[in-house]
Amino acid sequence: MPFQMRPDAILSEVKTFNEKLAQGVTNLMEVGEISSGVTPFEVVYTEDKLKLLRYVGEKEPTNTVPMLIVYALVNRPYMTDIQEDRSTVKGLLDAGQDVYLIDWGYPDASDRYLMMDDYLNGYLDNCVDFIRASHGVDAINLLGICQGGAFSLCYSAMHPEKVKNLVTMVTPVDYQTPDNMLSHWVQNIDIDLLVDTTGNIPGEMLNWTFLNLKPYQLMGQKYLGMVDMMGDAKTLKNFMRMEKWIFDSPDQAGETFRQFIKDFFQQNKLLKGEVQIGKYTIDLKNVTMPILNVFAEQDHLVPPDASRALNGATGSSDYTELSFKGGHIGIYVSGKAQKTIPPAIGEWLTKRS
Amino acid sequence: MIPAWSDDMMKNWSDAQKRYWDAWADLSKMGQPGIAAQPAMPDWTQGLDQWWKAVSPHTVPGASTDAFQRMVDMGKVYMNLAESTYKVRQAGATGAEAIEAWMNSMESGFQSCCANLDAGKFSAHGFGAGQALLDSWQRVTKSLGMEAFQKMGAGGFQMPMSQNWQEQLDKLLGTPAIGYNRESQERLQALTQLGANYQEALDDYLKAFAKQGLESVNALRARVASLREEGKSISSLRELYDLWVDVNEEVYGKFAMTDEYQVVYGDLVNALMAFKQGVNAEMDSIYEAANLPTRKELNAAFQKQQEARREIRALRQQVQELSRKLDALSAVASAPAAAPAPVAEVAPATEPVAEAAPPAKPARRSKKA
């Protein structure tokens, strides 16, 4: 018989569950404030809502070429520095890198007309110029994450002389691989109607979309799993920290969202060389610097094949792939990732800087 | 900062916790002499709900409470599973009969969910993702200021709950617009039609999930049969629940990549946006009549502001370029008369467009920001 539970065993399981729940709520009350971002930093440049952070490591960087992390506009960049023992930023500092990061801030209604040109040839270019001038170098290292990786690719195609080395992490390049759920869903959405109606795209809408990717796990099983771990205050706090990050979703500047979804997801123009940003037509063959392409093999948001498509698409003669056995978020926060990913990136960069 | 607790809050909190602990302590005594056995119809789901109602007012709103609310919601689903299986097992059924009864109950739940949607009503069915997805979708509608239309079916339009609400709505929309308020009536009828379109799209979306739920029950039956053939068993509620989640994700994963899902998903978003756009236009006409700034006017102002930002950026770059050239010329002019360097050979731009001027060599501090 496949189902072997006796009534008393059911009762016992119910009792254990409720005891854990009652104890957990007590722990929850003692969690206190949930901090995010653990590594010390200085804000070295600001523009509108943007802040450029420079992280301070425990030792001086050994790589004289600074690196800039370009995070996605979706969610918040403190994912890369989420907690003491789970920090990509800290790992990169330990690997001798001089780490800068762009915090794009939270767009409001006055930002709805920000276009990709404003983000890339305005904000991002200003940050790159600031770092170049600060360090007296012609080019810096860029590390783009997810949508920030796509931005970094476009930027590198427009301004190759300012990018010494390019690292892309979980970055979609081919937006129409057969296993790309987000791309499949978005094909029937009238993006013009959406942006014309809402102006900026509410973060809640993005939350709903991402939860739809694995609804039974993300809205159900995960929370039952939480009951098992909440007896331990530290584990509970870490869970809450992740939970805070997951639902910390800035609204998306309307015009940038319009272009990104239509050109990248609906028409796959990046691979076709047809994306137009300001006065530039994005040709990936202009991306000639060394490239390290890092992706996750169990990524449910950006399928690995969407990232692998970068191979051969650029003009670089020094292309390296690094695959990680984990998911889209695990590549930053899992214990395994801490030991492998930042050191590997650091070593790759140092060799080429 | 978490606010300090008052004595009353502390007492209510500890009373609620004590009652809950006592209840579960009683359960653990089951089987001991003199203690009554659990009733055949346990109400653990309700017990959990009541406990949460008692303690949740004393938790601090925010990410923690949000997560805990989700956990309690899933706890109720889990308790519901426990109740179903316990009841059947208490009645003397075998394990196989218990699991079959549970699957039958889910099947009929999904079927009635589909039937109710056809009749203009929504019925939640805890084991599907429908309710959780609907909650999440309602957060979207709330963020768009559309809370008034969160209720399903007839409730969404404040109409009496009837099986034929769509018919009543069609009659209302079919009324010819005449007289002094003709234009206003036509506008409102068009808006109501957009609302009805949205309702239909939402129903289709939820029905698709209920249908997927039915497919998942069948897939679970197949999985249980295969476990039986392999001589494997499920020995806890949690294993059963996890199996259900695995099967659902597998079935959903395939369904989500179909054209059918692409259509219901896109139609839901498009229909809400068309409706919202209609609501926006009505709001704008109200604001305009009250001599208040409209969304259209604000958008025009924001667009001009963005254009001004771009112009400033371009002008800053020009000023810096000119400044560099001027510096180069000054350097040439003040240099000894030997061989003046041509302006074209001046070093490339390195000055940033920055609100904070960069240090020549950035100093590193070790204090925590």
Side-chain angles (χ1 to χ4, degrees), chain A residues 25-85:
Chain A
V25 80
T26 307
N27 285 345
L28 183 79
M29 296 301 295
E30 291 162 3
V31 158
E33 290 203 35
I34 301 167
S35 59
S36 47
V38 291
T39 307
F41 63 83
E42 297 168 67
V43 177
V44 292
Y45 173 81
T46 63
E47 187 179 348
D48 299 332
K49 295 179 177 69
L50 174 149
K51 286 179 188 165
L52 177 62
L53 317 184
R54 186 186 189 200
Y55 287 96
V56 181
E58 288 171 1
K59 55 184 183 183
E60 287 294 313
T62 52
N63 191 344
T64 53
V65 179
M67 73 176 298
L68 172 61
I69 298 177
V70 183
Y71 199 77
L73 303 176
V74 178
N75 284 112
R76 300 283 294 141
Y78 58 82
M79 161 55 65
T80 57
D81 188 37
I82 193 102
Q83 67 189 55
E84 198 64 46
D85 54 347

Side-chain angles (χ1 to χ4, degrees), chain A residues 54 59-67 92-100 135 137 139-141 164-165 345-353, chain B residues 361 364:
Chain A
R54 186 186 189 200
K59 55 184 183 183
E60 287 294 313
T62 52
N63 191 344
T64 53
V65 179
M67 73 176 298
L92 290 168
L93 289 169
D94 290 345
Q97 307 304 311
D98 198 345
V99 182
Y100 289 79
H135 290 260
V137 295
I140 66 167
N141 295 328
K164 177 96 175 164
N165 298 292
I345 293 173
E347 188 184 346
W348 185 88
L349 283 174
T350 301
K351 270 186 193 165
R352 290 164 176 78
S353 299
Chain B
K361 186 76 181 172
R364 300 184 65 83

Side-chain angles (χ1 to χ4, degrees), chain B residues 172-177 184-194:
Chain B
L172 178 73
L173 294 175
T175 310
S184 164
Q185 186 185 339
E186 279 175 351
R187 272 207 327 270
L188 285 174
Q189 279 178 325
L191 184 60
T192 309
Q193 182 62 58
L194 290 173

Side-chain angles (χ1 to χ4, degrees), chain A residues 39-257:
Chain A
T39 307
F41 63 83
E42 297 168 67
V43 177
V44 292
Y45 173 81
T46 63
E47 187 179 348
D48 299 332
K49 295 179 177 69
L50 174 149
K51 286 179 188 165
L52 177 62
L53 317 184
R54 186 186 189 200
Y55 287 96
V56 181
E58 288 171 1
K59 55 184 183 183
E60 287 294 313
T62 52
N63 191 344
T64 53
V65 179
M67 73 176 298
L68 172 61
I69 298 177
V70 183
Y71 199 77
L73 303 176
V74 178
N75 284 112
R76 300 283 294 141
Y78 58 82
M79 161 55 65
T80 57
D81 188 37
I82 193 102
Q83 67 189 55
E84 198 64 46
D85 54 347
R86 304 286 159 103
S87 167
T88 302
V89 165
K90 187 169 181 299
L92 290 168
L93 289 169
D94 290 345
Q97 307 304 311
D98 198 345
V99 182
Y100 289 79
L101 177 143
I102 296 177
D103 178 347
W104 301 107
Y106 294 84
D108 62 26
S110 70
D111 298 310
R112 72 160 286 185
Y113 291 101
L114 277 173
M115 301 177 77
M116 283 187 73
D117 185 35
D118 298 308
Y119 273 109
L120 300 189
N121 292 314
Y123 295 141
L124 176 54
D125 193 40
N126 290 344
C127 289
V128 170
D129 281 349
F130 178 88
I131 298 168
R132 289 166 63 229
S134 299
H135 290 260
V137 295
D138 292 334
I140 66 167
N141 295 328
L142 269 193
L143 188 156
I145 291 175
C146 193
Q147 181 193 35
F151 281 10
S152 299
L153 271 170
C154 292
Y155 182 82
S156 301
M158 291 186 285
H159 307 283
E161 74 285 359
K162 297 184 185 180
V163 183
K164 177 96 175 164
N165 298 292
L166 173 64
V167 182
T168 52
M169 285 185 83
V170 289
T171 294
V173 178
D174 180 351
Y175 289 76
Q176 293 185 350
T177 54
D179 51 353
N180 192 326
M181 269 195 191
L182 288 176
S183 176
H184 180 68
W185 298 347
V186 88
Q187 302 302 324
N188 185 38
I189 290 182
D190 185 340
I191 299 298
D192 289 330
L193 174 65
L194 174 63
V195 176
D196 291 347
T197 304
T198 62
N200 288 341
I201 306 304
E204 287 290 1
M205 184 165 268
L206 301 180
N207 288 342
W208 173 71
T209 303
F210 294 137
L211 290 174
N212 263 279
L213 289 167
K214 284 189 180 287
Y216 297 87
Q217 285 178 19
L218 300 178
M219 285 186 268
Q221 194 177 38
K222 183 178 82 169
Y223 294 100
L224 276 191
M226 179 185 167
V227 178
D228 291 331
M229 67 174 74
M230 61 197 304
D232 180 76
K234 190 180 171 195
T235 311
L236 177 64
K237 190 158 189 165
N238 289 341
F239 180 93
M240 288 303 178
R241 189 177 284 117
M242 277 303 297
E243 198 69 3
K244 177 185 166 186
W245 176 81
I246 287 167
F247 293 102
D248 190 355
S249 304
D251 295 347
Q252 302 294 297
E255 294 308 320
T256 295
F257 186 85

Side-chain angles (χ1 to χ4, degrees), chain B residues 2-73:
Chain B
I2 296 172
W5 282 26
S6 68
D7 289 347
D8 275 355
M9 281 170 71
M10 185 62 84
K11 186 172 183 313
N12 288 340
W13 164 264
S14 58
D15 285 353
Q17 284 288 68
K18 185 173 181 307
R19 281 196 301 276
Y20 202 60
W21 282 111
D22 288 349
W24 292 110
D26 287 347
L27 189 62
S28 67
K29 292 174 196 159
M30 197 201 70
Q32 292 175 13
I35 305 290
Q38 277 285 300
M41 300 285 283
D43 53 359
W44 299 324
T45 312
Q46 200 188 347
L48 176 59
D49 193 39
Q50 283 170 351
W51 166 75
W52 180 238
K53 279 179 183 156
V55 300
S56 58
H58 310 298
T59 57
V60 181
S64 303
T65 312
D66 246 22
F68 211 82
Q69 177 66 57
R70 287 167 198 266
M71 197 172 63
V72 169
D73 288 343

Side-chain angles (χ1 to χ4, degrees), chain B residues 222-339:
Chain B
R223 189 76 75 90
V224 168
S226 129
L227 284 174
R228 187 180 291 127
E229 280 167 19
E230 291 166 20
K232 292 179 182 168
S233 64
I234 301 163
S235 54
S236 71
L237 284 176
R238 188 55 190 275
E239 274 182 55
L240 179 57
Y241 175 84
D242 288 345
L243 180 65
W244 170 242
V245 169
D246 283 352
V247 167
N248 261 289
E249 287 293 9
E250 197 180 308
V251 173
Y252 172 78
K254 287 178 190 156
F255 173 59
M257 293 305 286
T258 61
D259 290 347
E260 182 192 352
Y261 188 78
Q262 187 186 71
V263 169
V264 292
Y265 182 94
D267 285 358
L268 176 64
V269 176
N270 295 340
L272 177 66
M273 290 307 129
F275 185 29
K276 168 75 178 157
Q277 200 169 63
V279 171
N280 287 353
E282 275 306 303
M283 298 293 280
D284 260 12
S285 67
I286 294 167
Y287 293 148
E288 198 170 10
N291 199 27
L292 288 168
T294 63
R295 170 182 287 261
K296 201 173 162 186
E297 289 164 345
L298 279 174
N299 282 344
F302 291 145
Q303 194 161 14
K304 281 179 192 160
Q305 178 189 314
Q306 189 55 44
E307 283 161 10
R309 277 179 180 169
R310 286 184 198 123
E311 277 179 33
I312 290 169
R313 191 178 84 206
L315 287 171
R316 271 189 186 156
Q317 283 170 346
Q318 283 178 18
V319 167
Q320 284 175 349
E321 186 65 20
L322 288 172
S323 176
R324 272 192 295 272
K325 285 183 177 169
L326 200 58
D327 288 348
L329 286 172
S330 301
V332 170
S334 60

